[in-house]
Amino acid sequence: MTTSTTSPHETRGVVPPESLAGDVFFALSVPPGRAALHLHRISGPGCRALVAPALRTPSGTRLCETTWVAGVRYLHLVDESDGLIDDVVVTTFVAPHSYTGDDTIEIATHGNPLLSARLQQRLRQLGLRDARPGEFTQRAFLNGKLDLAQAEAVNLLIHAETAGGIELARAVTEGSLSRETRALRERLVKALAHIEAHIDFSDDEVGVLDADAFLPELEALAKNLEEVAATYERGRKVRDGVRLALCGAPNAGKSTLFNALLQSDRAIVTDIPGTTRDVLEERFALSGRDFVVCDTAGLRDTDDVVEKMGVERSRRAAREADVLCFVGDGSRTDFELELELRVLLKNDVPVLIALTKADLWRREGMPFEPEPELQTRLVRTERLRDRIGLPQGRVVATAPDDVHSLEAALIALYDTLTAAPGARSSAVLISARQRDAIAKAKAEVQEAIALLRTQDYPEKAASALLAANRSLVSVVGEISADDVLGSIFATFCIGK
């Protein structure tokens, strides 16, 4: 009998662990706890060679003795003594055809935390280490599988709480922002090349620098950069939902309206003024549009310490809202409503006016439609709004069982707040980092414009445009500081 001196890891072209290029990391890629399955992700150059000793075919064949290629296999996970830990499904992705760009293995075990713990212990025994937050996506970025904007979109796709946020993240992962940034850079570089040609060559060779020839393009570029920067706020509303604050005097019907929008008895409703002492916040959707509605304490002067705290929180909620909905009792006089409405004058966001208790205006036996008296009240309230200078917004009538007019007004406002009038692209910024980089690029382009207008040294304008180019590059790629790059991926969950 001949004894082979060949290492098991050297069979079939598998790389021995001692020659692995780079480290291999792993993580549980699903929430911990009991479930049908637990999925563990492993990635890094040579990960197949490291993991091979822990896997066997159901017939007991060592995996390293077979041709391990991309695909899905049913295998046994074994401990250091070849004892069975679990029967698993192993999916293999061979570099560069994987999420990270490196060899990647996904092991699906039964969803018992004890089995997951044993698998993780086995992987550590074999020399693998636990992944850091976002390390799989960071490795994909470093390997050129994703640019930085797409990587941030992956994080949004995981954490989005609205359907709009998912659609926004999907658009960025598919490259909408990357394409827009590339187009902006091409225009910037074209102007920069024109200036640098006059720096590097004499006037006899390239003529006198005529800034007027390309200043309009730089001015248009600065305007486009401003438009792109403005998409961050629109994207926030799509991503997080439009924030709607219900404000008004005590006992005006805010909590009733809150419950009607949610179609749930979320808030306590009584005839006693001041029942709501705190801000209640819930999400709801209308025709695929996401909102966050806040039911606030009634705005009034009070000596009650607890209610006073609630009123202050209500004012803060109003300041943070994207839309204010003034809730007024439709039976109050114009003078009383005017006093309540003037409280909202300090806000510069759209204001809807909802006159509640419209059911009290119904004629017995008639369907709910604005009766002449109520219609007159709506018109008078619109005039009142215009007279005191509130932002334009619809005035609607509501009842506990009918908020259709308010819902229609909210849908129209959502579309206005999230639309991009006159925008030249559908790209939307999804992080404050991206917004700051675009805003910085805009400021640097404007600096170059000012220098060219005063016929200052062209080197200064070229330097400003170079800085603008670096800012644009940072949106999708190059980040000079390691700690900045680390902070981006630290917000990711472990296993992604």
Side-chain angles (χ1 to χ4, degrees):
M1 178 177 179
T2 304
T3 302
S4 173
T5 58
T6 303
S7 166
H9 294 288
E10 295 175 345
T11 61
R12 305 281 183 168
V14 179
V15 181
E18 58 270 18
S19 63
L20 294 179
D23 57 354
V24 180
F25 48 91
F26 71 90
L28 175 65
S29 291
V30 296
R34 297 187 184 278
L37 296 172
H38 276 179
L39 184 67
H40 302 77
R41 176 180 282 177
I42 303 161
S43 189
C47 64
R48 286 178 289 168
L50 281 179
V51 176
L55 296 170
R56 299 285 186 274
T57 66
S59 62
T61 306
R62 294 172 62 89
L63 195 62
C64 60
E65 296 173 357
T66 66
T67 302
W68 191 346
V69 296
V72 182
R73 298 190 66 178
Y74 171 72
L75 298 168
H76 284 177
L77 174 69
V78 296
D79 59 22
E80 59 273 24
S81 302
D82 273 358
L84 179 65
I85 296 176
D86 194 14
D87 49 327
V88 297
V89 175
V90 178
T91 306
T92 305
F93 304 87
V94 178
H97 307 293
S98 71
Y99 178 72
T100 64
D102 294 327
D103 283 353
T104 299
I105 303 168
E106 292 181 352
I107 302 178
T109 67
H110 290 92
N112 187 314
L114 297 176
L115 294 173
S116 290
R118 291 191 66 187
L119 168 58
Q120 293 167 24
Q121 180 186 25
R122 184 75 174 111
L123 294 177
R124 294 185 190 104
Q125 289 174 346
L126 294 172
L128 286 75
R129 64 171 177 81
D130 293 71
R132 295 183 291 270
E135 189 163 7
F136 291 91
T137 303
Q138 184 173 0
R139 187 63 62 90
F141 164 68
L142 294 173
N143 286 339
K145 302 291 288 187
L146 301 169
D147 64 34
L148 201 53
Q150 291 171 312
E152 288 178 302
V154 169
N155 196 34
L156 173 58
L157 188 61
I158 294 170
H159 294 289
E161 296 184 5
T162 65
I166 291 174
E167 292 178 7
L168 183 61
R170 182 66 66 192
V172 179
T173 58
E174 291 175 353
S176 62
L177 180 56
S178 307
R179 290 189 294 272
E180 174 68 11
T181 305
R182 184 166 54 250
L184 291 169
R185 285 188 62 210
E186 288 173 356
R187 295 166 59 193
L188 179 64
V189 169
K190 185 176 180 180
L192 179 60
H194 188 88
I195 296 174
E196 289 190 330
H198 287 82
I199 296 173
D200 296 335
F201 300 98
S202 67
D203 292 347
D204 293 337
E205 295 174 292
V206 296
V208 178
L209 176 63
D210 182 12
D212 292 337
F214 57 89
L215 267 177
E217 170 59 17
L218 283 180
E219 290 167 347
L221 180 60
K223 183 176 183 298
N224 296 149
L225 287 167
E226 183 177 5
E227 290 174 352
V228 174
T231 65
Y232 173 75
E233 191 58 29
R234 290 193 290 106
R236 179 193 64 78
K237 294 180 177 71
V238 173
R239 183 184 69 235
D240 300 333
V242 169
R243 295 189 65 83
L244 168 69
L246 305 179
C247 302
N251 210 31
K254 296 183 297 300
S255 295
T256 299
L257 200 57
F258 181 76
N259 289 343
L261 288 171
L262 298 179
Q263 300 182 6
S264 167
D265 290 334
R266 174 68 176 82
I268 296 175
V269 178
T270 73
D271 294 330
I272 304 171
T275 302
T276 302
R277 299 295 188 95
D278 204 348
V279 175
L280 300 180
E281 182 175 299
E282 291 289 345
R283 293 185 176 275
F284 73 101
L286 293 173
S287 301
R289 299 158 177 86
D290 296 290
F291 294 85
V292 179
V293 60
C294 301
D295 181 23
T296 67
L299 300 176
R300 67 173 177 178
D301 295 328
T302 177
D303 295 327
D304 187 299
V305 176
V306 177
E307 187 178 359
K308 186 178 293 185
M309 293 172 64
V311 169
E312 180 52 40
R313 292 187 181 187
S314 297
R315 297 186 188 282
R316 184 165 62 247
R319 289 193 296 269
E320 296 172 351
D322 300 312
V323 177
L324 290 180
C325 180
F326 169 76
V327 182
D329 186 335
S331 63
R332 289 179 179 264
T333 66
D334 288 355
F335 178 74
E336 290 172 321
L337 284 178
E338 180 173 353
L339 292 178
E340 296 172 10
L341 278 167
R342 286 190 178 278
V343 176
L344 306 179
L345 279 175
K346 295 181 181 179
N347 296 284
D348 57 358
V349 299
V351 177
L352 291 173
I353 299 177
L355 297 183
T356 60
K357 307 179 183 180
D359 51 314
L360 301 180
W361 295 78
R362 289 176 178 160
R363 292 179 180 173
E364 186 175 354
M366 296 290 290
F368 176 53
E369 293 180 356
E371 297 298 329
E373 297 89 344
L374 181 55
Q375 190 62 48
T376 300
R377 164 33 74 80
L378 293 176
V379 172
R380 291 208 320 267
T381 306
E382 288 176 353
R383 292 172 180 167
L384 174 62
R385 175 204 62 203
D386 297 339
R387 185 171 72 250
I388 65 179
L390 281 175
Q392 288 291 321
R394 288 181 60 179
V395 179
V396 299
T398 66
D401 58 351
D402 196 320
V403 290
H404 298 309
S405 296
L406 177 58
E407 290 175 340
L410 287 173
I411 289 172
L413 259 178
Y414 180 100
D415 292 343
T416 300
L417 290 171
T418 59
R424 38 185 303 282
S425 81
S426 60
V428 177
L429 304 180
I430 60 172
S431 74
R433 183 196 68 81
Q434 296 170 359
R435 177 200 59 195
D436 294 344
I438 294 291
K440 187 178 180 185
K442 173 202 163 189
E444 289 155 346
V445 170
Q446 289 177 323
E447 180 184 352
I449 292 171
L451 290 166
L452 290 167
R453 280 177 176 162
T454 59
Q455 298 183 346
D456 207 327
Y457 289 104
E459 291 85 354
K460 292 183 180 179
S463 177
L465 292 180
L466 278 170
N469 185 54
R470 286 194 296 270
S471 296
L472 285 177
V473 169
S474 72
V475 173
V476 295
E478 296 174 9
I479 297 289
S480 56
D482 289 340
D483 56 343
V484 175
L485 192 62
S487 68
I488 292 171
F489 289 100
T491 63
F492 283 54
C493 59
I494 294 174
K496 190 60 181 176

